[in-house]
Structures are given as C-alpha cells and as structure tokens.
Amino acid sequence: MPIEVKGLTHVYMPGTPFEARALNDVSLSIRDGEFIGIIGHTGSGKSTLIVHLNGLESSSPGVVFVNGVDLGLKETDLIAIRRTVGLVFQYPEYQLFEETVEKDVAFGPRNLGLSEDEIKARVADALRMVGLPQDVAGKSPFELSGGQKRRVAIAGVLAMQPSMLILDEPAAGLDPAGRREMLELIKGVHDTGVTVVMVSHSMDDVGRYCDRLYVLNRGEIAWYGTPAEVFIHEEQLHEIGLDVPECAKLARRLRKSGFDIPEGLYRTDDVCEAILRNLRKGSDATC
Ligand SMILES: Nc1ncnc2c1ncn2[C@@H]1O[C@H](COP(=O)(O)OP(=O)(O)O)[C@@H](O)[C@H]1O
Ligand SMILES: [Mg+2]
C-alpha cells in the first residue's frame, strides 16, 4: 500500500487555552495509481492531515506508512520519503524565490546532486508537464501570471519525479477557466502513473476527477468511498457544510418526482443520458 494511515490524532497547542484537536483517530489507505480526493469544510483538518503524509509533521497516537515504511521510526529516511511523496502546499506560488523559473524548478534536483544535463532535462520535462512553454525558463517567476506561477511551483515538485503527488486546494483562487486547466494538468500527471491525493472543497471537482473520496468533518473521517457512494449522503453532507455536485442534486430531484433515473449518478454526461432516455421513453409512449 503506498500510503496507509492508522489512528492518527493531532492536537495543536495541547494543554493551552488554544488547544485544537485537528485530527481524531483518522485512518485511510491509498492504493497505487489512485486519484484520491480529500474533502471537507474549512477547519476540518485537511491540511493537517496531508502534512503527515510525507513526514513533515508527526503525531501520536497514530502511524503513517509510505510504501510500508513507518514514518514515525527514528531510522526512517524522511528525505527519501519526501522525494517519493511530493507535496504542493496551498498557494505554492508564494514560495517561489529564485530569480528565474529555471532555477526555481531546478532547486530540488540540484539538491539531489544530479548532473547539469540531468537537471536540464528534468526542468524541461516538468515545464512540459505543467503546460508551460520552454521559453519561460529564463524569465523571473514574478513576470508571470498567478496561474503560471502556480504551475512553476508544481513543476518544482514534479522535477523531483515523485511517485505520489499531494496537492492542497490546487485550484483555490483561480477563475473557472484557470481551475479547469489546473485540474486537467493534474489529471495529466495522474495519467502518467503518479498516485494523486487532492485536497479540495469543491464536490464538483472531486466528483469529476477522483476515484475515491475521504470526507473530513471536525478532524474525523465522516464518509469514504467512490464519489457515487459519498454523494448519496446529500442531506448529511449539507449539514456539515458540503454540497453534492449540481448534477447529483438534479438527478435526485428527478428520481423523487418519478423519473426513471438510477441512484448514484453525478456526472453531467451520465445525468444527461438518463434524462434523454426518459424523454425518448416518454415520446415512444405517446406515439
Ligand atoms: N498552526 C495551528 N495552530 C493552532 N491551530 C491550528 C493550526 N493550524 C490549524 N489549526 C486548527 O486545526 C483545525 C484544522 O485546521 P486545518 O488542518 O488547517 O483544516 P483545513 O485545511 O481543513 O481548513 C482548525 O480548527 C484550525 O483552526
Ligand atoms: Mg487547509
């Protein structure tokens, strides 16, 4: 199992008046090649959870395994783990600091002690993967748009060639077109065989891209499963401040009004097809 979390609990500032239990007995497993969504309201513990997945944070009680290695053991090589599990923070563009895009993306590979040729090749590959033209390499990151800067930051993580990529709200703050492009970019990375864990608070986004979801509420896993399995809990999700995708709502409403729409539909295409089937049936009956 690439990532396994068992009974993880994290308390910020324990024993002070500011004590906050951010995670409570969280367990999850992520399989090779999956695209996982972690979803929850602000403050539900999403960011706290993912910094445990590459050993940036450790907590007790709880165990985190990456490829079977217990991150809590003293002898575990956390630098090697962070090479395997790439982590993209929320608003990663604020962490760009080098004078050129090339230097920024090359920062990680250079620290690995790779040859200049290998570094160059990795930078070119990473820029290609995030859909940036090679001529941005010589530019200052500060000459770029917000969306492009974010791509540079992601390229810096991809240049380490991680086998798992974790992203904290990668589409946050982007306009609708930028959101879609960012999500397609991540899908492209997943298509190359990288296991992806994406934190989001958009049910539409995780419904469209993820194989399985974990829903966090007040530091606990409230539901998990395929999007269809999770979206069935529309009312309870609503109570914890989450909305199912618009199409799932429409499908449910039509089913309640007597249309023959199977349970668990949430993708636009599937819902359209089901509606068309009903309309065709209706017109056949009147012929
Ligand atoms: N550095 C911190 N110090 C104290 N409390 C924190 C800190 N970071 C997060 N918290 C608290 O932990 C809980 C979970 O936060 P977080 O993991 O950031 O949730 P999310 O990413 O889902 O918004 C919240 O109640 C938040 O206020
Ligand atoms: Mg967060």
Side-chain angles (χ1 to χ4, degrees):
M1 197 75 72
I3 297 184
E4 191 145 32
V5 177
K6 288 186 182 163
L8 187 65
T9 295
H10 184 85
V11 180
Y12 285 106
M13 297 190 273
T16 73
F18 307 105
E19 181 171 305
R21 185 171 281 258
L23 297 175
N24 190 31
D25 196 17
V26 167
S27 298
L28 52 85
S29 4
I30 296 167
R31 294 186 282 264
D32 225 357
E34 278 192 307
F35 195 141
I36 295 287
I38 297 187
I39 187 135
H41 199 262
T42 304
S44 57
K46 305 180 298 295
S47 297
T48 306
L49 172 61
I50 59 165
V51 288
H52 283 81
L53 304 185
N54 76 346
L56 269 183
E57 269 285 359
S58 67
S59 296
S60 165
V63 206
V64 179
F65 295 97
V66 169
N67 291 330
V69 176
D70 180 348
L71 303 197
L73 295 180
K74 247 204 312 227
E75 62 268 28
T76 297
D77 179 358
L78 288 178
I79 294 173
I81 295 290
R82 285 179 203 139
R83 236 177 273 155
T84 311
V85 185
L87 181 61
V88 179
F89 290 102
Q90 197 169 3
Y91 296 108
E93 56 274 23
Y94 294 134
Q95 287 167 9
L96 300 176
F97 63 97
E98 291 280 9
E99 68 221 52
T100 65
V101 166
E102 214 238 314
K103 281 190 181 169
D104 229 303
V105 178
F107 181 80
R110 187 152 281 132
N111 277 345
L112 295 179
L114 302 173
S115 69
E116 281 307 310
D117 283 351
E118 172 70 13
I119 293 172
K120 262 210 156 84
R122 284 198 181 201
V123 170
D125 280 349
L127 290 178
R128 203 169 304 119
M129 278 180 103
V130 299
L132 285 173
Q134 297 295 324
D135 66 3
V136 301
K139 289 192 178 166
S140 157
F142 304 101
E143 288 174 56
L144 307 179
S145 72
Q148 285 176 321
K149 277 191 232 169
R150 190 169 298 179
R151 285 162 188 252
V152 171
I154 296 174
V157 175
L158 291 175
M160 300 296 281
Q161 299 186 341
S163 58
M164 293 171 237
L165 182 66
I166 302 179
L167 307 109
D168 197 350
E169 310 229 13
L174 301 178
D175 61 26
R179 287 184 76 84
R180 179 52 83 90
E181 278 175 25
M182 179 57 67
L183 293 163
E184 286 295 321
L185 178 172
I186 297 164
K187 181 179 179 295
V189 173
H190 177 250
D191 289 344
T192 66
V194 174
T195 303
V196 173
V197 178
M198 179 170 81
V199 169
S200 173
H201 60 245
S202 162
M203 283 293 198
D204 279 292
D205 291 350
V206 295
R208 184 167 299 136
Y209 293 96
C210 298
D211 303 315
R212 284 196 307 126
L213 311 179
Y214 283 91
V215 181
L216 272 178
N217 181 39
R218 297 170 182 266
E220 298 188 356
I221 306 276
W223 294 279
Y224 67 95
T226 60
E229 287 163 349
V230 168
F231 296 156
I232 283 177
H233 306 286
E234 183 179 337
E235 273 134 32
Q236 296 98 313
L237 286 166
H238 199 70
E239 280 165 22
I240 64 168
L242 296 172
D243 231 355
V244 302
E246 288 304 320
C247 271
K249 275 194 252 177
L250 174 65
R252 195 158 179 258
R253 230 162 280 152
L254 289 170
R255 192 170 52 250
K256 272 191 172 166
S257 334
F259 284 86
D260 177 18
I261 308 259
E263 228 184 307
L265 291 193
Y266 59 91
R267 287 205 167 95
T268 315
D269 292 354
D270 297 340
V271 175
C272 279
E273 210 175 282
I275 293 172
L276 285 174
R277 250 197 326 266
N278 274 266
L279 292 176
R280 270 190 228 113
K281 247 196 269 169
S283 62
D284 286 350
T286 52
C287 281

